[in-house]
Amino acid sequence: MGRPKLTTIFTSNNHQTLPTSDPTRQSLVENKPDTSKDGFPYSVFGFLRRLMSGNKIDGGSRTEAEEKVYSWLYALAQSDKDLVFEYVRSTERGLSFTEAERRLRENGPNVPFDYSFPSWWHLLWNAFFHPFNIILIVLSVLSYITSDNPNGCIMLVLVFLSVSLRFYQEYSSSKAAMRLSELVRCPVKVQRCAGRVVQTELIVQIDQRDIVPGDIVIFEPGDLFPGDVRLLSSKHLVVSQSSLTGESMTTEKTADIKEDQSTPILDLRNICFMGTNVVSGSGTGLVVSTGSKTYMSTMFSAIGKKKPPDDFENGVRRISYVLIAVMLVVVTIIVLTDYFTSYDLSESILFGISVASALTPQMLPLIVNTSLAKGALAMARDRCIVKSITAIRDMGSMDILCIDKTGTLTMNRAIMVDHLDSLGLAKEKVLQFAFLNSYFKTDQKYPLDDAILAYVYTNGFRFQPSKWKKRDEIPFDFIRRRVSVILETESHAEDRNHQFLDRFMVTKGALEEVMKVCSFIEHIDSGAISTLSPEDYQRILSMAEAISNEGLRTIAVAIKRLKLQNSNGSVANDEAFELDMVFLGLITFYDPPKDSAKQALWLLAEKGVKAKVLTGDSLSLAIKVCKEVGIKTTHVITGPELELLNQDSFHQTVKRATVLARLTPTQKLRVVLSLQTVGKHVVGFLGDGINDSLALDAANVGISVDSGVSVAKDLADIILLEKDLNVLVAGVEQGRLTFGNTMKYLKMSVIANIGSVLSLLIATLVLKDEPLTPKQLLTQNFLYSVGQIAIPWDKMEEDYVKTPQRWSKKGLPMFILWNAPVCTLCDVATLVFLCIYYKAGSLVDSKFFHSAWFVEGLLMQTLIIHLLRTEKIPFIQEVASLPVICSTVVISAIGIAITFTPIGEVLGFVYLPLSYFGFLVVLFLGYFSIGQLVKRLYIFIYKRWL
């Protein structure tokens, strides 16, 4: 087998189908064809299916595909080798070249992952196909038909800006799983048989894409398993499964064992999984699953298919359909009323188009994308890259953050804690020989060596390594899991004619492996050395277990004195010298939590974001870290324990648990899905490993770090340039600010537009004439829309950003029903005042009425933001940001001044008397008073405002 340059072998080219002629195989593994397509017809039908479908994946149980893969692998792990050959229809000699080619044609290439990525035109269509964009395009076409070219041009420009921003954002993040599609091509050593009469066994190298079930593969250190493999033979085989588990610890595998159903799947010692690699040792194995039938494929087949729906987008679509229905009814009535009054069909249609345009929140897509882009820039200043800008809004709604312990809560580096003898007492001699081992070893220095050296230097120990000389070394390997150095120093001898040397072998490594070569134990206080008894052995193991339960890592130290008189004597580099050693003690290490982690988690909790730790590490270590950073550990559970729960118990346990340890990637996915679908939470997930990719892809907000693996960064929505949770605190605040300003515009715009259109309808029915001409109405709408561009730069109240903010299905309709009539009431008051005081209802005074109605309507729509943007009394208890204030002043001034300019004459306006502006002052004081009263009643009933 060859050695790949990358650590992953994910691809997305063809869907694998395994042989199905064997009845046993057929009953255990079955493939369902992938019916997903990429294209416009399929996207539309898929959208309709998703819209009408009520089926949800809640994470409480495995999928059907997962169950089949699990059953297949457990059946093989519990079977004898002969039966395994029967299952895959192979022989001990391997497959013939003819049979292998047939299976390759039948199954297709050995690729584990099948996922089609959207094309650029598909993304462009999704960006274009938005209800408000369609409304604006229809209105633009109608405007061009009725020769209202300026209005049509303005609406097309708005559509172009909205679609361009959305397409750019989606296209930039569409590569979210592209690296999973890159197959690492490497040769694999395979045993095949050749010959028609007398078959001979041949060892050949083939590309791993050509591996088929039934092949016998030969592997050595550094090789990557090309499929799920049942071991046939093994010699000191050690495998790294970090690509599946995220744990750096290695796993011993052996062929001569039969497993049982109670063993967790990743702990099966006679099964090696696709995507894992050989650290040391060698062996042979029978390929039992390839392509989409592997364990890894069941994990990553979920990529891109579990993303929860965006409540905000769904809500916007629903309200857009409501506006379309209102538009059709109101515009039809207005057109018919105007036509039967003026008998001018083209003018009536043009006025109807203008009313429809006024009812449409034309700036919504632009405001939304501007708010998100502003949030992305703000997070960039905090050293945070936002790949999917909609994730900023989701961060404002996030109420649960799932985090991986390693490198997120902790510093991801070892710090030495103590040096203990066999009785658990701190002894300097243990530290001295551990230091000498780390100081003189020339093999690769590991983080634990650096931690020992740093501890000695910073604590003032003087072990004088210059008085020691290194003579030999037995380097570390993953079979022995220890390293030995042979050192010598001058002994205290009175005979000056001869140079006597003390020679020591100093060994350091995993406790179990060091104790295997120890026959004695030193009692350091007395200096006595005694035989290592079973009681001593058990006492040391119990002490190490207690230390491990405290979240500390241990290594053992042992020595062996080799007293040689000849200074030129040499010791061979042979493991046989690692015998009859003297056990000295233990060195303990700790991966400390970050100083900023506790403060950041406290700030997140203060803002309503609960933290859950989802890690592949041991439970004891996770609990220790969580206690130090302030995460409650009253409810904890491990992955193997989760596997034993039924669906309801699973959901209840996930809901309560704050620490979930020893989780596999699929279990992390199931936890995230359970929180989303059953718990109704908006979930963020912070991870940086391949084993986190499923959860990253499924979470509402996927967060990774710059030092994470490429797959995790590609699937993440947000990438942190520093592993600092405080950046997330700022992101949550920015998300809530973005969400608040977006909702502010949406509610204000819909209320103002609906109130205005209802007022136009009432005025049309009363006056039997147009309250405004089409040009005046479009000018009013244009000025109002331009004035709202400043909303993304508004601020939010402190109480608003303290709690997660989510789209409420009933919130917007009720908000409209309460507040829109207030706008209409003020417009009707203006209508009554103009008709009674100025007697402006006649056709003779139509220009005066148009001018007065134009100014009042524009000021109403401009000032409404100040009433709706806060729970408090506007301009007294709460003042908007400077950009919003300036926008209000400028647009209001333009609206008033335009009636006195030549542009006003072109539009058909006349001068307004000063008394009318006095009326407007009284009107708006009344409007704000009534609006504030309605606001307090609404808050009293619904307990919230925006």
Side-chain angles (χ1 to χ4, degrees):
M1 293 171 64
R3 303 182 184 185
K5 297 180 180 179
L6 302 178
T7 58
T8 58
I9 58 169
F10 309 122
T11 188
S12 67
N13 292 331
N14 296 292
H15 201 71
Q16 174 81 7
T17 305
L18 291 178
T20 56
S21 56
D22 181 49
T24 306
R25 174 68 163 163
Q26 175 70 13
S27 65
L28 292 174
V29 180
E30 180 182 298
N31 180 45
K32 290 187 177 182
D34 184 8
T35 58
S36 61
K37 301 289 184 180
D38 182 21
F40 164 66
Y42 299 100
S43 66
V44 173
F45 295 144
F47 170 77
L48 294 176
R49 283 195 300 269
R50 291 192 299 271
L51 189 65
M52 294 182 290
S53 175
N55 297 328
K56 291 183 178 180
I57 300 175
D58 58 16
S61 58
R62 298 193 196 108
T63 64
E64 183 179 355
E66 289 174 338
E67 286 290 353
K68 290 177 179 177
V69 170
Y70 274 56
S71 300
W72 172 242
L73 292 178
Y74 273 113
L76 296 167
Q78 298 173 64
S79 303
D80 292 324
K81 298 176 186 177
D82 295 337
L83 185 57
V84 172
F85 283 111
E86 291 288 337
Y87 277 168
V88 297
R89 295 179 291 115
S90 184
T91 65
E92 295 181 357
R93 293 182 175 182
L95 298 175
S96 66
F97 287 92
T98 303
E99 175 63 15
E101 290 176 1
R102 187 193 68 79
R103 295 191 182 192
L104 184 62
R105 288 193 303 270
E106 181 180 346
N107 300 330
N110 174 29
V111 292
F113 185 68
D114 182 27
Y115 179 67
S116 57
F117 299 96
S119 58
W120 67 267
W121 59 266
H122 191 188
L123 294 173
L124 181 61
W125 169 257
N126 287 337
F128 171 80
F129 195 75
H130 189 280
F132 284 118
N133 290 335
I134 301 301
I135 293 172
L136 290 176
I137 289 174
V138 171
L139 294 178
S140 176
V141 171
L142 293 175
S143 297
Y144 279 112
I145 292 175
T146 55
S147 302
D148 187 13
N149 296 336
N151 185 44
C153 182
I154 290 172
M155 287 187 280
L156 286 181
V157 169
L158 292 175
V159 171
F160 174 78
L161 291 175
S162 173
V163 172
S164 298
L165 284 173
R166 181 68 178 269
F167 172 73
Y168 175 76
Q169 174 252 315
E170 293 291 342
Y171 185 74
S172 298
S173 60
S174 66
K175 301 175 182 178
M178 283 293 188
R179 291 188 188 271
L180 292 178
S181 65
E182 298 174 358
L183 176 66
V184 178
R185 300 197 175 216
C186 59
V188 181
K189 288 183 181 179
V190 178
Q191 177 179 306
R192 295 269 174 90
C193 58
R196 294 185 177 180
V197 180
V198 179
Q199 291 190 332
T200 57
E201 299 170 2
L202 299 176
I203 305 298
V204 296
Q205 284 193 340
I206 63 174
D207 189 271
Q208 74 174 28
R209 292 170 59 92
D210 299 330
I211 295 291
V212 296
D215 271 330
I216 297 176
V217 294
I218 302 164
F219 42 83
E220 56 190 18
D223 287 342
L224 205 65
F225 288 100
D228 290 343
V229 173
R230 169 62 159 89
L231 294 178
L232 300 176
S233 65
S234 61
K235 181 179 179 181
H236 304 304
L237 181 60
V238 178
V239 173
S240 172
Q241 298 184 156
S242 61
S243 61
L244 302 180
T245 65
E247 297 183 47
S248 58
M249 300 298 292
T250 56
T251 304
E252 295 184 13
K253 299 284 186 177
T254 179
D256 301 323
I257 191 173
K258 289 174 64 176
E259 294 285 6
D260 55 56
Q261 193 74 25
S262 63
T263 305
I265 189 166
L266 290 178
D267 292 340
L268 296 175
R269 287 172 291 173
N270 56 6
I271 299 291
C272 295
F273 300 94
M274 187 179 203
T276 61
N277 62 284
V278 180
V279 175
S280 63
S282 59
T284 61
L286 181 66
V287 177
V288 296
S289 299
T290 58
S292 61
K293 299 302 180 297
T294 59
Y295 173 79
M296 187 184 69
S297 179
T298 64
M299 290 169 42
F300 293 98
S301 62
I303 294 293
K305 301 177 183 178
K306 301 273 194 308
K307 207 70 172 179
D310 190 322
D311 289 341
F312 182 86
E313 290 292 336
N314 290 341
V316 169
R317 290 181 183 276
R318 283 193 294 268
I319 198 64
S320 66
Y321 298 143
V322 173
L323 288 179
I324 291 173
V326 173
M327 184 189 304
L328 292 175
V329 174
V330 173
V331 170
T332 301
I333 295 174
I334 288 177
V335 170
L336 291 176
T337 302
D338 188 67
Y339 172 71
F340 287 115
T341 302
S342 63
Y343 297 101
D344 188 344
L345 182 59
S346 61
E347 184 69 18
S348 300
I349 293 176
L350 183 58
F351 181 64
I353 294 173
S354 303
V355 173
S357 178
L359 184 60
T360 306
Q362 300 175 4
M363 301 296 288
L364 177 63
L366 188 61
I367 293 292
V368 168
N369 287 309
T370 302
S371 298
L372 295 175
K374 177 180 174 291
L377 291 174
M379 294 186 69
R381 289 192 290 269
D382 292 326
R383 296 183 58 75
C384 181
I385 298 173
V386 180
K387 290 177 55 186
S388 175
I389 60 176
T390 57
I392 299 174
R393 186 175 60 231
D394 291 332
M395 284 195 73
S397 304
M398 181 177 69
D399 57 353
I400 286 185
L401 176 63
C402 299
I403 53 182
D404 185 16
K405 175 193 69 64
T406 306
T408 304
L409 296 178
T410 62
M411 294 183 179
N412 200 22
R413 62 184 177 89
I415 292 180
M416 183 180 155
V417 177
D418 216 337
H419 40 94
L420 308 175
D421 67 357
S422 60
L423 297 176
L425 303 175
K427 299 299 178 181
E428 187 173 311
K429 186 174 183 178
V430 179
L431 177 61
Q432 177 188 10
F433 282 98
F435 167 79
L436 293 174
N437 180 287
S438 297
Y439 183 89
F440 282 104
K441 61 175 290 193
T442 56
D443 193 25
Q444 180 181 359
K445 285 279 196 299
Y446 290 97
L448 298 185
D449 296 309
D450 296 332
I452 293 173
L453 297 177
Y455 183 87
V456 170
Y457 293 144
T458 56
N459 288 277
F461 291 98
R462 298 289 186 265
F463 293 135
Q464 299 179 311
S466 60
K467 292 186 177 182
W468 294 78
K469 292 183 179 179
K470 177 183 173 183
R471 290 304 181 191
D472 217 332
E473 177 177 352
I474 304 177
F476 177 88
D477 62 62
F478 285 96
I479 300 174
R480 294 166 40 255
R481 293 196 294 166
R482 58 183 181 263
V483 57
S484 297
V485 294
I486 298 173
L487 307 175
E488 62 182 29
T489 184
E490 292 186 8
S491 64
H492 300 284
E494 296 181 359
D495 187 356
R496 297 185 179 180
N497 295 324
H498 295 83
Q499 183 180 11
F500 290 93
L501 300 174
D502 277 344
R503 183 166 289 181
F504 294 88
M505 173 177 283
V506 184
T507 299
K508 175 172 92 299
L511 175 62
E512 296 85 355
E513 301 300 326
V514 170
M515 294 191 70
K516 283 181 182 178
V517 297
C518 288
S519 302
F520 306 96
I521 184 171
E522 179 172 346
H523 303 281
I524 297 177
D525 285 335
S526 62
I529 298 177
S530 61
T531 302
L532 181 65
S533 65
E535 292 77 14
D536 293 329
Y537 185 88
Q538 190 59 45
R539 185 183 72 253
I540 294 170
L541 289 182
S542 299
M543 180 176 66
E545 183 179 358
I547 293 172
S548 177
N549 289 336
E550 294 179 0
L552 301 179
R553 184 177 176 184
T554 61
I555 61 171
V557 181
I559 62 172
K560 180 179 181 181
R561 184 185 293 269
L562 302 171
K563 192 169 184 179
L564 298 178
Q565 184 175 0
N566 183 0
S567 63
N568 295 321
S570 63
V571 177
N573 188 359
D574 193 337
E575 296 176 23
F577 282 88
E578 292 180 325
L579 294 173
D580 298 328
M581 302 195 72
V582 180
F583 182 84
L584 282 185
L586 300 173
I587 305 293
T588 63
F589 303 88
Y590 181 44
D591 183 7
K594 294 179 178 177
D595 295 335
S596 62
K598 186 172 185 178
Q599 178 188 8
L601 290 172
W602 181 81
L603 290 174
L604 286 172
E606 192 180 46
K607 296 184 183 301
V609 181
K610 298 179 181 178
K612 289 180 180 286
V613 174
L614 277 59
T615 179
D617 292 326
S618 66
L619 181 61
S620 58
L621 182 57
I623 290 176
K624 170 141 181 98
V625 173
C626 291
K627 284 181 177 179
E628 295 203 9
V629 297
I631 297 177
K632 293 182 179 180
T633 57
T634 51
H635 295 93
V636 299
I637 196 167
T638 63
E641 292 171 340
L642 279 178
E643 287 295 320
L644 303 177
L645 302 178
N646 59 38
Q647 189 166 343
D648 292 336
S649 299
F650 178 91
H651 294 311
Q652 289 298 322
T653 302
V654 167
K655 178 182 178 180
R656 293 193 307 269
T658 54
V659 181
L660 299 96
R662 295 184 62 199
L663 296 182
T664 65
T666 51
Q667 287 172 335
K668 289 183 179 182
L669 170 65
R670 291 173 60 198
V671 169
V672 170
L673 292 176
S674 174
L675 293 171
Q676 290 172 332
T677 56
V678 179
K680 304 299 182 184
H681 295 288
V682 177
V683 181
F685 187 92
L686 174 58
D688 57 2
I690 297 174
N691 60 307
D692 297 320
S693 56
L694 285 178
L696 281 170
D697 184 61
N700 299 83
V701 186
I703 309 165
S704 188
V705 293
D706 187 45
S707 58
V709 298
S710 59
V711 172
K713 289 189 291 186
D714 284 343
L715 290 172
D717 302 305
I718 295 173
I719 298 176
L720 307 181
L721 298 183
E722 297 177 357
K723 289 185 177 181
D724 188 356
L725 290 178
N726 284 298
V727 177
L728 293 183
V729 178
V732 168
E733 293 177 349
Q734 192 63 46
R736 292 175 185 176
L737 176 64
T738 300
F739 184 89
N741 282 332
T742 303
M743 291 304 300
K744 198 181 295 179
Y745 169 79
L746 183 60
K747 289 185 174 182
M748 176 269 298
S749 178
V750 172
I751 287 171
N753 291 354
I754 290 180
S756 175
V757 168
L758 290 177
S759 302
L760 288 172
L761 176 61
I762 294 171
T764 302
L765 294 174
V766 171
L767 300 176
K768 306 297 182 181
D769 192 15
E770 299 172 353
L772 290 174
T773 65
K775 288 183 180 181
Q776 293 168 350
L777 183 57
L778 292 172
T779 302
Q780 183 191 69
N781 188 51
F782 174 75
L783 289 174
Y784 159 71
S785 298
V786 171
Q788 310 316 309
I789 295 178
I791 289 179
W793 284 266
D794 195 15
K795 58 184 179 179
M796 296 299 301
E797 298 174 9
E798 292 184 3
D799 293 341
Y800 187 85
V801 298
K802 286 183 179 179
T803 56
Q805 302 298 329
R806 298 186 65 176
W807 178 278
S808 174
K809 293 182 179 179
K810 297 181 179 179
L812 185 57
M814 296 308 299
F815 197 87
I816 294 171
L817 290 176
W818 276 74
N819 292 277
V822 180
C823 298
T824 303
L825 178 63
C826 291
D827 289 337
V828 171
T830 303
L831 173 64
V832 173
F833 178 77
L834 290 174
C835 292
I836 295 177
Y837 187 81
Y838 291 110
K839 302 187 184 300
S842 63
L843 186 61
V844 178
D845 297 323
S846 61
K847 287 189 176 183
F848 176 78
F849 185 90
H850 291 167
S851 302
W853 190 271
F854 173 87
V855 172
E856 184 272 340
L858 180 61
L859 293 179
M860 172 69 69
Q861 292 179 325
T862 304
L863 293 173
I864 191 175
I865 184 175
H866 297 278
L867 177 64
L868 299 183
R869 62 173 296 277
T870 176
E871 297 181 5
K872 302 175 182 178
I873 301 175
F875 302 114
I876 299 176
Q877 295 179 327
E878 176 69 15
V879 181
S881 64
L882 183 61
V884 175
I885 292 289
C886 292
S887 173
T888 300
V889 171
V890 170
I891 297 301
S892 299
I894 293 174
I896 294 172
I898 198 171
T899 58
F900 300 94
T901 63
I903 298 177
E905 293 182 10
V906 174
L907 293 174
F909 293 141
V910 297
Y911 294 172
L912 293 173
L914 188 61
S915 59
Y916 179 70
F917 292 102
F919 163 76
L920 290 181
V921 172
V922 176
L923 176 72
F924 289 125
L925 286 175
Y927 168 69
F928 276 95
S929 299
I930 297 173
Q932 191 66 25
L933 178 62
V934 171
K935 182 193 301 183
R936 300 317 305 172
L937 289 173
Y938 183 90
I939 294 174
F940 177 77
I941 295 174
Y942 298 103
K943 310 302 180 185
R944 61 176 298 173
W945 181 236
L946 289 177

